[in-house]
Amino acid sequence: MKIICIGRNYAKHIEELANEKPEHPVVFLKPDSAILPKKMPFFIPPFSNDVHYEVEVLVKINRVGKHISPKFAHKYYEEVGLGIDFTARDVQAKCKEKGLPWEKAKAFDGSAVIGDFYPKEQFDLQNLSFQLKKNDAIVQDGNTNAMLWQIDELISYVSQYFTIKKGDVIFTGTPAGVGEVKEGDVLIGVLKGKEAFQIKVK
Ligand code: ZN
């Protein structure tokens, strides 16, 4: 399986990192080795002094497809969930400065937290609230109604470049409020009131 990630999909997050609003979705990949095994803590990697959490709504692909139109994209997933796109912000800043790829900052081992999935019927996908709590304080409070590109548009867009396959997961971008993790932090993801993951940082 592969993980397809979307960057800059919420206007307020674009502002907080002083990025330009993109003309098309920003897309990058994480390999399956990036997945943090269930119930494992997240270990801050030794090559970074500034690892950020980014809570994101996830979509699990359930069939193979390419060149999917937005109108039919809903047939390619049954479940949505919540996860974290851990980002070594200092490493990413160096990559951006030099125009280099982001993999070292975004695709390292443990950088993809994939929480529980739920049937999509349980939610209004265009108005789905989600939060990240850090040590019991809400640090990110998002809603899919603020996405620049909705889920079906994202599936359509990425499928123009990559064949999507059963088991692939799409990270749909993070809202504002990203910040650094420290050893000892506990991160809890909440999707419309349901706890979708809990991660200890070590
Ligand atoms: Zn992200």
Side-chain angles (χ1 to χ4, degrees), residues 72 81 101 131:
F72 294 118
Q131 290 83 28

Side-chain angles (χ1 to χ4, degrees), residues 6 28 54 56 85 106 173-174:
I6 306 300
F28 59 95
E54 294 190 355
E56 311 200 2
D85 164 22
K106 287 275 199 185
T174 196

Side-chain angles (χ1 to χ4, degrees), residues 3 26 30 82 84 87 91 106 117 119 137 178:
I3 299 167
V26 173
K30 293 184 192 251
L82 199 67
I84 297 179
T87 303
V91 177
K106 287 275 199 185
F117 283 93
V178 301

Side-chain angles (χ1 to χ4, degrees), residues 1 10 12 17 20 26 31-32 39-40 44 48 53 60 66 68-69 75 79 94 121 128 147 152 177 194:
M1 61 86 73
Y10 289 85
K12 283 188 182 145
L17 293 187
E20 271 177 48
V26 173
D32 59 4
K39 305 209 191 291
M40 283 284 286
I44 296 172
S48 176
Y53 51 77
K60 193 194 273 181
K66 65 189 295 184
I68 300 160
S69 76
K75 295 175 182 283
E79 293 180 304
K94 281 189 194 141
E121 288 76 29
L128 175 57
M147 283 180 165
D152 290 356
K194 299 171 198 285

Side-chain angles (χ1 to χ4, degrees), residues 1-7 26-35 85-86 101-109 111-112 158-159 161-165 168-171:
M1 61 86 73
K2 60 186 171 297
I3 299 167
I4 303 171
C5 299
I6 306 300
V26 173
V27 180
F28 59 95
L29 301 178
K30 293 184 192 251
D32 59 4
S33 51
I35 297 170
D85 164 22
F86 276 120
W102 291 0
E103 278 80 0
K104 288 196 290 182
K106 287 275 199 185
F108 57 86
D109 288 0
S111 63
V158 301
S159 76
Y161 297 87
F162 314 114
T163 296
I164 57 168
K165 292 182 171 181
D168 288 351
V169 174
I170 301 180
F171 278 61

